[in-house]
Amino acid sequence: MLVTPDLPSVRLATRLAAPEPGWTVHADAVVVGSGIAGLTAALELRTRVGRVLLVTKGVLSSGSTVWAQGGIAAALDPADSPAAHLQDTLAAGGGLCDPRAVETLVTEGPRRVRQLVARGAVFDTTADGEISLTREGGHLTDRIAHAGGDATGAEISRALVAQIEAVRDDPGIEVVEHALVLDVLTGAPGADGAPGAVAGVTLHVIGEGSRDGVGAALAPVVVLATGGIGQVYRSSTNPAQATGDGIAAALRAGALLGDLEFVQFHPTVLWLGTGVKGQLTLVSEAVRGEGALLLDTDGVRFMPDVHPLAELAPRDVVAHAIVRRTAATGSDHVWLDARHLGADFFARRFPTIHERLAEHGIDPATDLVPVAPAQHYHSGGVVTDLDGRSSLTGLYAVGEVACTGVHGANRLASNSLLEGLVFAHRAARDVAARLEGGFLPRVDPSPRPGPEALVPAASRARVQRAATDGPGVLRSADGLRRSLATLAAIPTDAHERRDDGRRLGEPQLAEWETTNVHQVATVLALAALAREESRGGHARSDFPLTKEEWRVRVGVNSGSDGTVEIGPHPVG
């Protein structure tokens, strides 16, 4: 029988402190985010529903997809199969993958990748014109399609953005750039107190004219495609806009979240010193796929003693091995040795990485590359079914913000782009069918009970330290409880004043983002404290073994008064 630990009581705000909306726009569906999942969902919805509003935090091309180096995984080779891809995904997921979700991913994946090509994405090809495939950690065969060597995400983003630009003048779609979604609006709660159906979103647009400042986009459907949580941590491979906005908004609206504790730390991120923070340079797993080796600071290769796949073991295995090796050698990093690959090959196969290394005076043909783990991907998020539906009527989630059950405890390399692609298609089809069938009626927004919050932007570094020191690469109960205590002590009251009478923070972008970062860090640490075992991307020094009774999903949601509720849920 599963016995969950005593957890501290946590109450979070149910809405952000913000001015009342000064303008309103109506749509059939609002898509939030412009990575592969958001762009695909918007394109598919445009041909299926009357009006789509696509909201992005920066410009269209600024989604997280553009930073994806390695590629997109799919069984494209006749010698490969969806069944083999499924087995590799399940093995990496540490027993927590939903097999139905994985089967959906691997069987629909090849067709969706070929549709990407039809939409203009240009992948690297072999001499006979077939898509060139390589291998990454956890895959037992070559099935990673790539573009521009190590610029796969950038090429996919370019192709999809071009498709959106081609229909910008279509009255059935509107693109709103430089817009932060604040909260998901919901209708009146049910008689049992359950959250009401989705009514739209509030958002803040940085610009001029009718779409300036805080407004409301009213729609019976909201599709969250907001990407990851990288800025919750001190250092990450994620861009600056990855502040967990979608997860935080879904939490405040009362949606069920899951697998939050499973954070993937990429093993090989360029190490530039202990004081470096912000977005760091990723050295793709594909470099190890082409034969690069990991050495400790004494020059000893250590991965063959850790896992049969050595440098191509699943990412959590490699990251944990590096952390333990650096502790044993008293070092802050290890070395990636790609010298034997040759200068011409490295520059041709990995032009982006080669350029980034050169900016720091590193030549991989002659130099060892210093690397260490850093936050890279979040396997958890808003719990959805196979069609992207969340626990709230009308709220969908696709891409990294979603918890589909595909990744389980640890994402298999290059499955993320495929997940966003496959489930965005499925969500769009489901939205259209349910709108047409009258199952997603428009409802009026209802005022949400509970407190509102605004965390001062000046507190962000403190939040990030707490997340890095608590639910970091290696965790313990003591460290997690310290992090939760630190996070609880940070002022969140939107009306709290300083000694001189001024508010601690004003409702604006930096404060809203910091509030989201704070809420995500809090529930992440709470979920990590609840799971008393080690599995996949969640490693506890005080519970180093994997336990069969923990083959469950840790679910997290917020009650109507903001009280965080946490408990086990079945997987799938």
Side-chain angles (χ1 to χ4, degrees), residues 131-489:
I131 293 177
S132 179
L133 302 173
T134 190
R135 189 178 306 193
E136 292 185 357
H139 293 271
L140 297 183
T141 190
D142 294 349
R143 67 167 64 97
I144 314 301
H146 48 86
D150 57 0
T152 310
E155 172 56 20
I156 291 173
S157 178
R158 180 206 62 76
L160 293 176
V161 168
Q163 293 277 309
I164 292 286
E165 294 290 0
V167 297
R168 274 250 201 183
D169 295 332
D170 186 331
I173 188 168
E174 179 181 351
V175 178
V176 181
E177 297 179 309
H178 305 293
L180 171 69
V181 166
L182 303 178
D183 280 309
V184 174
L185 299 172
T186 55
D192 58 355
V198 160
V201 296
T202 52
L203 65 161
H204 179 263
V205 181
I206 305 167
E208 298 178 355
S210 61
R211 297 287 186 266
D212 181 24
V214 174
L218 302 182
V221 173
V222 172
V223 181
L224 295 176
T226 51
I229 64 165
Q231 298 310 313
V232 167
Y233 288 87
R234 216 163 167 186
S235 59
S236 171
T237 63
N238 291 187
Q241 60 262 38
T243 47
D245 306 325
I247 286 179
L251 175 71
R252 291 191 293 268
L256 178 66
L257 310 179
D259 292 345
L260 297 181
E261 66 272 31
F262 296 116
V263 180
Q264 189 171 82
F265 295 85
H266 198 288
T268 52
V269 176
L270 184 63
W271 186 84
L272 297 172
T274 55
V276 175
K277 60 182 180 178
Q279 186 180 10
L280 302 181
T281 298
L282 173 69
V283 183
S284 171
E285 191 154 339
V287 178
R288 282 175 282 133
E290 296 290 356
L293 306 175
L294 287 168
L295 311 176
D296 65 20
T297 48
D298 294 327
V300 177
R301 187 182 176 202
F302 55 92
M303 282 307 302
D305 294 332
V306 176
H307 193 278
L309 293 176
E311 279 80 6
L312 292 181
R315 287 177 176 174
D316 61 310
V317 175
V318 181
H320 298 155
I322 290 174
V323 169
R324 292 186 174 96
R325 197 68 172 192
T326 55
T329 58
S331 170
D332 295 308
H333 69 280
V334 295
W335 299 111
L336 185 68
D337 186 1
R339 293 173 296 181
H340 55 286
L341 300 183
D344 291 343
F345 175 83
F346 196 100
R348 182 178 69 256
R349 176 67 178 84
F350 305 109
T352 306
I353 299 172
H354 190 269
E355 182 180 343
R356 297 289 179 271
L357 294 179
E359 290 171 0
H360 298 285
I362 299 171
D363 181 356
T366 58
D367 301 326
L368 294 172
V369 181
V371 294
Q375 194 281 337
H376 180 57
Y377 189 85
H378 191 207
S379 295
V382 182
V383 174
T384 69
D385 66 9
L386 299 183
D387 292 314
R389 300 183 197 178
S390 78
S391 62
L392 298 186
T393 300
L395 182 65
Y396 289 71
V398 289
E400 189 172 355
V401 70
C403 177
T404 62
V406 160
H407 306 305
N410 183 41
R411 174 182 67 110
L412 181 64
S414 290
N415 267 357
S416 51
L417 291 178
L418 191 69
E419 182 198 33
L421 184 64
V422 167
F423 287 91
H425 274 273
R426 295 181 67 88
R429 288 202 310 268
D430 190 70
V431 166
R434 293 177 75 202
L435 282 173
E436 185 178 1
F439 299 109
L440 296 172
R442 293 181 183 273
V443 297
D444 293 326
S446 177
R448 188 167 297 150
E452 64 179 15
L454 198 69
V455 177
S459 300
R460 181 161 330 173
R462 191 176 172 197
V463 173
Q464 291 172 327
R465 278 197 302 274
T468 302
D469 294 343
V473 182
L474 293 176
R475 305 158 178 185
S476 68
D478 289 345
L480 291 165
R481 289 187 184 278
R482 282 195 301 270
S483 289
L484 285 166
T486 297
L487 293 166

Side-chain angles (χ1 to χ4, degrees), residues 87-131:
Q87 289 304 316
D88 289 351
T89 300
L90 295 179
L96 284 190
C97 295
D98 178 350
R100 299 173 308 137
V102 179
E103 184 175 10
T104 298
L105 178 85
V106 301
T107 55
E108 297 184 13
R111 176 160 51 102
R112 297 307 179 199
V113 171
R114 293 187 177 98
Q115 287 177 335
L116 261 185
V117 175
R119 277 187 158 149
V122 180
F123 289 95
D124 297 337
T125 57
T126 61
D128 57 4
E130 296 296 322
I131 293 177

Side-chain angles (χ1 to χ4, degrees), residues 519-539:
Q519 291 193 337
V520 172
T522 299
V523 292
L524 196 165
L526 199 61
L529 181 60
R531 183 174 289 277
E532 292 187 329
E533 66 160 356
S534 290
R535 186 189 295 265
H538 171 71

Side-chain angles (χ1 to χ4, degrees), residues 510-572:
E511 268 69 21
W512 288 321
E513 286 186 327
T514 302
T515 307
N516 288 337
V517 164
H518 177 269
Q519 291 193 337
V520 172
T522 299
V523 292
L524 196 165
L526 199 61
L529 181 60
R531 183 174 289 277
E532 292 187 329
E533 66 160 356
S534 290
R535 186 189 295 265
H538 171 71
R540 291 278 297 261
S541 60
D542 48 351
F543 293 98
L545 302 179
T546 299
K547 300 178 181 178
E548 181 60 28
E549 62 264 31
W550 275 102
R551 195 187 284 263
V552 295
R553 171 174 291 152
V554 173
V556 178
N557 70 309
S558 174
S560 60
D561 66 347
T563 299
V564 176
E565 301 166 354
I566 189 164
H569 290 253
V571 176

